[in-house]
Amino acid sequence: MVCHWVEKALARHREELAGEHPWGDAGQLGLAILFGVVWTVDTLFLHYTTFLNRYVPSAVRLPLAFVFICASGYLAQRGILIMFGERGKEGKVIEKDVYSLVRHPIYLGEILLYVGFLVFSLSLAAAVVWFAVIAFLHHISRYEERLLLERFGGAYEEYRREVPMWIPRLWEC
């Protein structure tokens, strides 16, 4: 029963989107589980790579982690609402709201969520997994951008020139 559900979930195709990497959802889930396990075991039990906590006080780490997690939630929520809401079903390049800051706000939100957890615990072991997450998200983003170029052509190419992939140009806002 569960295997059938997973197979169906991996095989689904969303008609309203230009396309997704075939392993995008499964890869993100697998890496999230790996990060969660490594972070939990290192932070709460073994403390092998959390020695930096001695040098950075909780009074600094906790508010900073909170800021990253809030930014993560904002980007992901806005991106999802736009992508899967009414505005995302028009069949054109989305250039408004968080999509005017970065081309992949949902993935950036995911990265910032991990950063929030890393700042909270300063787990170097979890940071290694975080780098794997970034590499994976970059890979699937490139794949999805190729699909968007095929679907929208020059309009998406112009959007790519104007909007950064990952790091917002906040000084231009």
Side-chain angles (χ1 to χ4, degrees):
M1 179 78 158
V2 173
C3 290
H4 177 68
W5 176 82
V6 171
E7 181 181 310
K8 197 172 182 181
L10 289 174
R12 78 179 191 283
H13 179 72
R14 295 190 199 129
E15 294 298 326
E16 74 272 11
L17 300 177
E20 293 181 301
H21 192 281
W23 290 99
D25 293 340
Q28 287 176 83
L29 178 60
L31 286 168
I33 291 168
L34 178 62
F35 181 89
V37 167
V38 170
W39 184 88
T40 300
V41 169
D42 192 36
T43 301
L44 303 178
F45 301 110
L46 300 179
H47 308 287
Y48 281 144
T49 67
T50 59
F51 57 88
L52 292 173
N53 286 319
R54 288 179 259 168
Y55 307 107
V56 183
S58 296
V60 172
R61 290 184 289 117
L62 295 179
L64 192 55
F66 181 75
V67 168
F68 279 113
I69 290 171
C70 288
S72 162
Y74 177 78
L75 285 170
Q77 179 192 30
R78 296 296 306 155
I80 288 169
L81 285 174
I82 292 166
M83 180 63 64
F84 298 103
E86 290 303 313
R87 290 189 279 176
K89 295 187 179 183
E90 298 171 7
K92 65 178 186 172
V93 178
I94 301 170
E95 303 176 50
K96 305 275 189 234
D97 207 290
V98 291
Y99 287 92
S100 69
L101 298 174
V102 292
R103 297 194 306 264
H104 302 281
I106 300 169
Y107 294 156
L108 180 58
E110 184 177 341
I111 290 168
L112 293 179
L113 177 66
Y114 292 121
V115 170
F117 280 96
L118 289 172
V119 168
F120 174 77
S121 70
L122 297 179
S123 168
L124 298 179
V128 170
V129 179
W130 178 68
F131 282 113
V133 168
I134 291 172
F136 181 75
L137 290 175
H138 187 74
H139 171 74
I140 64 175
S141 296
R142 289 301 217 193
Y143 176 88
E144 292 170 2
E145 285 196 348
R146 284 192 299 273
L147 297 177
L148 290 163
L149 275 170
E150 288 174 15
R151 181 168 179 186
F152 299 112
Y156 191 75
E157 183 59 44
E158 182 180 335
Y159 173 69
R160 277 185 13 164
R161 279 194 301 273
E162 293 176 9
V163 178
M165 186 173 197
W166 295 113
I167 301 172
R169 294 184 202 124
L170 298 176
W171 54 91
E172 294 179 12
C173 295

